[in-house]
Amino acid sequence: MDVFETFKARERAELVQGRKALTEHIFGQVAVGETDRQRLVVSGLAYLKSLERTSVEANEIRSDSQRSDGDRDFTAPAKSS
């Protein structure tokens, strides 16, 4: 986690969620027989990066959706003649 934290400033809640997800991932790797520390570290960093990528993509989709909705809010209703 220390290595991951140095890449980008993160909020505490984000770190807590990441730490929990990483713990579950690493325990899963150990459960299927992975014991090499270096492989576990690389696997953990790759896993955290994939979580971050998924989170960024979800935020972009949400942001685009809100912008679309916001555009509709500023559209004036058609005048009836």
Side-chain angles (χ1 to χ4, degrees), residues 13-57:
E14 201 176 17
L15 292 174
V16 170
Q17 288 176 333
R19 191 170 281 122
K20 180 180 177 188
L22 178 61
T23 299
E24 291 172 4
H25 173 75
I26 296 298
F27 277 119
Q29 293 293 302
V30 171
V32 296
E34 184 59 70
T35 57
D36 183 90
R37 287 181 99 175
Q38 197 166 12
R39 285 178 177 256
L40 290 169
V41 168
V42 171
S43 173
L45 286 171
Y47 180 71
L48 287 171
K49 188 63 181 172
S50 74
L51 289 178
E52 181 179 52
R53 193 175 312 116
T54 302
S55 175
V56 167
E57 289 170 359

